[in-house]
Amino acid sequence: MLVPSLRELLRGLVAELIVQEGSPCLALDLAASHLLLALDQGAWGSESKAILDRVVQRYPQRLTTRIVLALLPSNTTAINLKECPLVTAECINLIIKRCPHLQSLDLTGNAELDFNEIHLFQEKRRAVHSSLAQVSLEDCYVSNHIVQALLRNAPMLLSLNIARCPITDTVFLMNETKQLAREGGLQHASLSTGYDSQLQSVDVTGCGEFSSTGVRHLCTLCGPSLAVLNMSWTKVDSTTLVYLCGLGLPAVVQFYLSLEEEVPEVRLSRKPHKGGKMRCEALLDILTQFEQIAAQLRVENQLPALLKDGRNELQGHVSDKDQSASNVLADSSCVSPTHSKLLSENNQSGSANCFAPGQENAFEDSGHPVSPHIYKDDSCDSAEALDHSHSDLYASEDLNNECRHESQSRNESVSSGSSPNIQNCLPGGEQDTLDKNKSSQDSLQTKSSISAAVPKISQTQTKDADISSTVSSRTEPFFIPNIRELCVSGTVFSDAPASHHCLRRFLESNPGLTTLRLMGGLNGQSVTDEVLGQVTETSQELKHMSVEGCVHLTTAGVAGLAACKHLEHLDLTGVAFIEDAGLVHLAKKLEFTGLLIAETQVQNKGLKTLASQPGSHKLQELELSWCEDLEDDEGLNAVACNCSGLRRLILRECDLSTKTMDLIAANCHNLTELSLACCDISIVCDESVVLLSENLAFLEVIDLSWNSNLTNVSVHALLTNCDYLRIANLSGLKRITAEPFAGLIAVPDELLEFLDVKHKEWESDESTKISLSDLPCLPHRSTVYATHLVDLQLQYSDFVQDQVLNDIVAITLGSIKIMDYYGSEVTISEGVVEAYVMDLFYKRCYRGTTAST
């Protein structure tokens, strides 16, 4: 057993004393209060911060504002307040104010925290923090406007974790006009300031209302800086992959329409859209709407230069029809507030309308919204079509003749070199007027020319002219993508074969991709060999790959990953039909640092091949749970003998032998996590576990569940010898009791002496009572026995007494999370500490009485 350093011992004692404020023991309460009062903020420097970190790790339920402010140095750069329910909004405000150099803030799990009261997350009372680079709000109740306020108040933010938060697609829609202009390749004054965010890493895992539209907004918000994106278990579909190529909405539409024309399989896979509208029509509608706003933005940017000298004169010449058209634009139910205001202001300042005289209501009469909220508006049917159902992009089994004609017209327009901007749609004479006339009178004529020359937004003209011009002009990315890590669910590939082309485009556009995780789950059937084929052909820099739960992959498909020469970490968990030949092929071609092949058909040959490679010592992680095709222990013995660098070894329900256990103890000294759950109970016995505990000095996580031959001997050996043990799963151990865990509680000599004095008083007066407030100290957590233990699993361990577990949790102030027989967490109960002390007292009394007798 390692002797704790004086520094470590002092940190533990101070941390435990500080959280005793409010203790029923008056002595401890006063000591804690005096210590907190005496602490000069920042005077302890790194020691002060280390003690605060220990309090957060051990006693998060007891962390108060006073403790934080007493221990937090002003030069702190990172603070973790994960699952600290007593931390308030005011506390966060004081932390932000005190620490101007704070770079990392973790508020994970604080679901009750009122973020509306925190200045960092407020729009009205802005608190700009120029150093903050990393924020985690995982499992917190934060809305779109809270996240947006954070992005504005922390302009240097690089990493944002909002996993499992109730956000929606508009969370990254910060400046609609600016982001629309950016993805459409339009000129706009605001674009000169660059992107609005420098986000590099975003995690939206489990955000059920987040779809591909949200990814589109994210791309227009931070563009080339985005490098890490985790969006598993969301509503995203294959369109996400195209957005991550740097393509805006017009280019994405063109990409899909070109697939229709060029790939027969895509055309044949089209299905009717859930709303009954043909997908081709929905796409054209959306692009029409996009061009509507785009035309207005072009006019807005042209007018300042052209009408500079004649603005006042022009204002007097606005016709009634122009005013009427502006009102129609401003009042449209699908116009976002931003664009409603924009269109209104343009009209008031004398800017040109998007409609030619007499055609103000043509677009509205055609059944399309006038100026829709392109980004997200459920009131617009066509916008909803792209926002919610990209995966059904090829909507009909047979396109009607009109759609085919439109497609042909688009191709002809593209081949004829349609010009990208609105000025090319103007008649030649009027275009010359725009170029040459400079006087105020000519500006007035220019005003009329623009108004007349902007394409009339009727249904036919828009589809035949405007859309072809728009699509043909915006097929290039509006930024160069740089995605390094991506995690998505298998649903992304549910619209094959179109999704396979999306994946190829994504991989080709992001050649620096190093990590790709395709989470199977219930939709793992969508990830097929063809998907892996796209990866192996394109991503030569890939280092980490996960296809967990992708049950439709074959051995041949997985073996193809050998083409990724730099692949070092592979997760095949749950890919149940992968055979041994695939592993043999990969082991000969690649040097793995991590290989997760649980629930596969791997056999001894595969493991022996893996262990015999020259780089086998580099393997740090191996998971073999439920590999039922292992014939005997030969493969495991080869691994234990040769893979000396292993840090994590998971052998749940594997065919072990005594020799395997001995080899692990003899060679795998670097292990920090080991699972021997549900193995042969005659093999995983007390003798083997004691041997492991004596040789695995760095063990942090152990799972010995359901090895019913183990007794208290094994548990005591683990808690005594493994000084760094943090998590112990001892569920289903039918022969153990609570005895090995009693040592987690230490009783100070001072308390025992006090009880001896009270015992003498009791001998003369049996009515003597003991009050906790009179005690000089209380029992506390041991400073030498299992000092790092924070999680103890004891489900279905029949003979572990509940009262002992209650005592441990109460006396250690909740620093150990214990799951009882029924799988419920043991909580701190009233009167437990007092009952424990009285029990000590009566035991001493009984012992003294017995001795005298």
Side-chain angles (χ1 to χ4, degrees):
M1 180 179 67
L2 295 177
V3 178
S5 67
L6 182 60
R7 182 188 299 264
E8 184 71 15
L9 189 62
L10 178 62
R11 287 175 180 172
L13 291 174
V14 172
E16 187 169 353
L17 176 58
I18 286 175
V19 298
Q20 292 282 5
E21 188 179 26
S23 170
C25 175
L26 184 60
L28 287 176
D29 184 18
L30 291 174
S33 298
H34 288 156
L35 181 56
L36 289 171
L37 185 64
L39 283 174
D40 179 17
Q41 179 337 82
W44 290 14
S46 59
E47 281 304 311
S48 175
K49 180 59 167 54
I51 293 173
L52 177 60
D53 291 340
R54 191 180 183 95
V55 172
V56 173
Q57 179 188 8
R58 290 285 189 87
Y59 317 103
Q61 304 293 322
R62 302 178 70 89
L63 182 69
T64 63
T65 301
R66 187 180 183 190
I67 294 175
V68 172
L69 297 181
L71 293 174
L72 185 65
S74 59
N75 62 349
T76 296
T77 58
I79 184 167
N80 175 8
L81 299 175
K82 183 178 180 180
E83 296 180 356
C84 297
L86 298 182
V87 172
T88 63
E90 182 59 28
C91 179
I92 304 298
N93 287 333
L94 293 173
I95 291 173
I96 298 298
K97 183 178 180 180
R98 172 173 290 181
C99 305
H101 304 294
L102 188 67
Q103 297 178 13
S104 177
L105 177 63
D106 190 348
L107 299 175
T108 297
N110 292 300
E112 302 301 321
L113 189 60
D114 187 357
F115 287 88
N116 291 301
E117 299 297 322
I118 302 176
H119 300 160
L120 185 64
F121 302 96
Q122 291 178 344
E123 287 283 1
K124 295 182 179 179
R125 187 174 179 180
R126 295 192 62 185
V128 177
H129 201 293
S130 58
S131 299
L132 200 59
Q134 182 176 351
V135 173
S136 177
L137 305 177
E138 183 176 345
D139 290 316
C140 292
Y141 192 79
V142 296
S143 58
N144 291 349
H145 77 272
I146 288 175
V147 176
Q148 291 174 352
L150 171 65
L151 292 174
R152 292 189 177 96
N153 293 335
M156 303 302 293
L157 194 66
L158 302 179
S159 176
L160 177 63
N161 183 352
I162 48 176
R164 292 176 293 280
C165 291
I167 53 98
T168 64
D169 283 338
T170 57
V171 65
F172 297 117
L173 186 57
M174 304 283 289
N175 186 324
E176 184 178 8
T177 301
K178 186 175 181 179
Q179 290 176 238
L180 172 67
R182 179 176 289 126
E183 74 168 321
L186 309 176
Q187 297 296 321
H188 196 271
S190 63
L191 296 182
S192 60
T193 59
Y195 284 85
D196 303 290
S197 173
Q198 301 182 46
L199 279 174
Q200 296 179 2
S201 175
V202 175
D203 190 339
V204 292
T205 301
C207 296
E209 297 303 315
F210 190 84
S211 71
S212 298
T213 301
V215 177
R216 174 183 161 213
H217 301 335
L218 179 61
C219 291
T220 59
L221 178 67
C222 57
S225 67
L226 186 62
V228 179
L229 185 56
N230 189 339
M231 47 188 177
S232 55
W233 318 122
T234 62
K235 288 184 177 180
V236 300
D237 53 37
S238 61
T239 315
T240 292
L241 300 174
V242 191
Y243 288 140
L244 293 176
C245 297
L247 301 182
L249 177 61
V252 170
V253 174
Q254 171 63 16
F255 172 79
Y256 278 112
L257 293 177
S258 64
L259 282 182
E260 278 191 2
E261 298 301 319
E262 300 171 6
V263 184
E265 295 84 356
V266 170
R267 190 182 309 115
L268 293 174
S269 68
R270 291 179 298 208
K271 300 177 182 178
H273 179 245
K274 62 180 180 180
K277 200 169 190 178
M278 295 301 181
R279 179 62 61 180
C280 181
E281 294 175 342
L283 289 175
L284 295 176
D285 288 345
I286 295 168
L287 203 54
T288 298
Q289 298 163 18
F290 186 98
E291 183 64 14
Q292 182 71 17
I293 298 178
Q296 185 67 24
L297 290 175
R298 293 193 192 95
V299 172
E300 178 194 14
N301 284 285
Q302 290 170 355
L303 288 179
L306 297 174
L307 310 179
K308 181 178 180 181
D309 300 326
R311 186 177 300 275
N312 293 332
E313 182 179 357
L314 285 172
Q315 190 170 3
H317 288 272
V318 176
S319 66
D320 294 338
K321 285 188 176 182
D322 291 334
Q323 185 64 40
S324 174
S326 177
N327 291 338
V328 171
L329 288 170
D331 293 339
S332 173
S333 63
C334 285
V335 178
S336 66
T338 303
H339 283 103
S340 178
K341 180 179 179 182
L342 169 66
L343 300 178
S344 177
E345 290 175 352
N346 285 339
N347 184 72
Q348 292 173 7
S349 62
S351 60
N353 268 304
C354 286
F355 302 108
Q359 294 293 329
E360 295 86 355
N361 297 319
F363 187 67
E364 185 177 34
D365 293 340
S366 69
H368 298 290
V370 175
S371 181
H373 190 325
I374 292 296
Y375 286 86
K376 181 70 175 177
D377 194 327
D378 292 338
S379 65
C380 299
D381 292 339
S382 54
E384 180 184 1
L386 191 63
D387 288 347
H388 296 293
S389 304
H390 286 303
S391 61
D392 297 325
L393 196 55
Y394 306 98
S396 65
E397 198 65 39
D398 296 298
L399 286 178
N400 56 33
N401 292 332
E402 179 185 10
C403 289
R404 297 188 184 203
H405 174 71
E406 290 162 358
S407 180
Q408 182 179 359
S409 300
R410 282 192 302 275
N411 291 338
E412 293 173 356
S413 176
V414 172
S415 63
S416 63
S418 299
S419 181
N421 69 53
I422 204 167
Q423 293 185 8
N424 295 95
C425 296
L426 303 175
E430 293 168 341
Q431 181 62 48
D432 292 338
T433 301
L434 287 177
D435 294 336
K436 299 177 181 179
N437 294 343
K438 302 293 183 180
S439 65
S440 61
Q441 182 177 359
D442 290 339
S443 296
L444 177 59
Q445 296 173 357
T446 302
K447 159 70 176 176
S448 301
S449 299
I450 293 176
S451 181
V454 173
K456 302 175 181 180
I457 313 299
S458 65
Q459 184 175 7
T460 303
Q461 288 176 317
T462 300
K463 289 180 178 179
D464 290 345
D466 292 342
I467 292 179
S468 62
S469 176
T470 303
V471 173
S472 64
S473 64
R474 298 193 182 92
T475 58
E476 296 301 319
F478 65 91
F479 72 92
I480 299 176
N482 184 35
I483 302 298
R484 302 286 182 178
E485 299 181 18
L486 180 68
C487 180
V488 294
S489 300
T491 51
V492 167
F493 305 100
S494 60
D495 61 337
S499 56
H500 297 166
H501 292 274
C502 295
L503 177 62
R504 174 172 285 276
R505 179 65 183 264
F506 166 77
L507 296 173
E508 291 174 346
S509 300
N510 294 274
L513 187 72
T514 60
T515 300
L516 180 61
R517 296 185 176 92
L518 308 178
M519 309 301 292
L522 297 177
N523 299 290
Q525 65 271 18
S526 299
V527 181
T528 62
D529 285 354
E530 188 172 354
V531 171
L532 278 191
Q534 301 283 350
V535 175
T536 56
E537 292 174 13
T538 313
S539 298
Q540 301 302 316
E541 300 300 319
L542 200 65
K543 294 182 178 180
H544 299 262
M545 180 75 188
S546 173
V547 287
E548 178 183 353
C550 299
V551 295
H552 277 202
L553 293 175
T554 68
T555 300
V558 171
L561 288 171
C564 302
K565 302 297 184 182
H566 302 287
L567 189 64
E568 58 186 34
H569 192 283
L570 179 61
D571 186 353
L572 298 174
T573 301
V575 187
F577 303 106
I578 300 301
E579 298 175 345
D580 204 47
L583 176 59
V584 170
H585 181 71
L586 291 174
K588 291 180 178 179
K589 298 290 184 179
L590 303 171
E591 288 188 355
F592 288 109
T593 59
L595 186 60
L596 282 63
I597 47 178
E599 304 173 63
T600 63
Q601 296 181 12
V602 62
Q603 296 178 329
N604 281 339
K605 182 179 180 181
L607 292 184
K608 288 192 285 188
T609 302
L610 178 68
S612 64
Q613 300 306 306
S616 61
H617 64 283
K618 297 180 180 180
L619 187 65
Q620 298 181 11
E621 182 178 8
L622 179 63
E623 182 165 351
L624 297 168
S625 300
W626 296 289
C627 289
E628 300 175 353
D629 289 302
L630 292 173
E631 301 94 326
D632 49 44
D633 65 342
E634 288 187 11
L636 293 177
N637 292 344
V639 169
C641 188
N642 295 291
C643 302
S644 58
L646 279 170
R647 295 182 178 274
R648 182 173 183 264
L649 180 60
I650 310 299
L651 302 176
R652 187 180 184 91
E653 288 200 20
C654 285
D655 188 10
L656 302 177
S657 67
T658 302
K659 183 178 180 180
T660 306
M661 301 285 282
D662 293 341
L663 288 172
I664 292 174
N667 299 306
C668 303
H669 299 299
N670 295 316
L671 278 177
T672 59
E673 181 177 353
L674 175 64
S675 174
L676 302 174
C678 305
C679 293
D680 189 336
I681 60 175
S682 63
I683 301 301
V684 183
C685 57
D686 286 340
E687 183 180 354
S688 297
V689 173
V690 171
L691 181 64
L692 290 173
S693 70
E694 292 173 346
N695 288 274
L696 305 181
F698 302 105
L699 198 63
E700 297 180 9
V701 181
I702 183 73
D703 185 354
L704 296 173
S705 57
W706 300 102
N707 290 294
S708 56
N709 271 359
L710 297 179
T711 68
N712 289 345
V713 173
S714 296
V715 179
H716 187 269
L718 286 170
L719 298 181
T720 302
N721 298 327
C722 300
D723 296 282
Y724 300 103
L725 191 66
R726 296 185 301 105
I727 301 173
N729 189 343
L730 307 177
S731 301
L733 303 192
K734 303 297 185 179
R735 299 178 62 184
I736 67 171
T737 68
E739 181 183 349
F741 310 116
L744 294 168
I745 299 176
V747 181
D749 292 338
E750 189 177 3
L751 175 59
L752 295 177
E753 292 173 0
F754 176 83
L755 294 178
D756 286 340
V757 172
K758 287 294 182 181
H759 172 236
K760 292 180 180 180
E761 295 178 3
W762 179 80
E763 287 178 341
S764 59
D765 182 5
E766 293 187 0
S767 63
T768 300
K769 295 183 179 181
I770 297 177
S771 174
L772 289 183
S773 60
D774 297 333
L775 298 179
C777 57
L778 290 176
H780 58 79
R781 179 169 179 170
S782 173
T783 57
V784 294
Y785 186 74
T787 56
H788 289 81
L789 188 67
V790 296
D791 194 323
L792 183 59
Q793 308 285 324
L794 293 168
Q795 294 95 313
Y796 300 104
S797 295
D798 303 58
F799 297 109
V800 178
Q801 299 91 329
D802 290 341
Q803 184 56 53
V804 176
L805 301 184
N806 291 334
D807 292 343
I808 293 172
V809 171
I811 292 172
T812 63
L813 303 175
S815 60
I816 304 178
K817 177 182 177 181
I818 300 180
M819 307 302 290
D820 65 13
Y821 179 89
Y822 297 103
S824 301
E825 183 176 353
V826 180
T827 58
I828 299 177
S829 304
E830 292 278 338
V832 171
V833 177
E834 183 174 6
Y836 183 86
V837 173
M838 291 305 299
D839 188 49
L840 280 177
F841 174 69
Y842 288 124
K843 283 181 179 179
R844 298 184 78 78
C845 292
Y846 175 75
R847 185 182 63 184
T849 303
T850 303
S852 62
T853 301

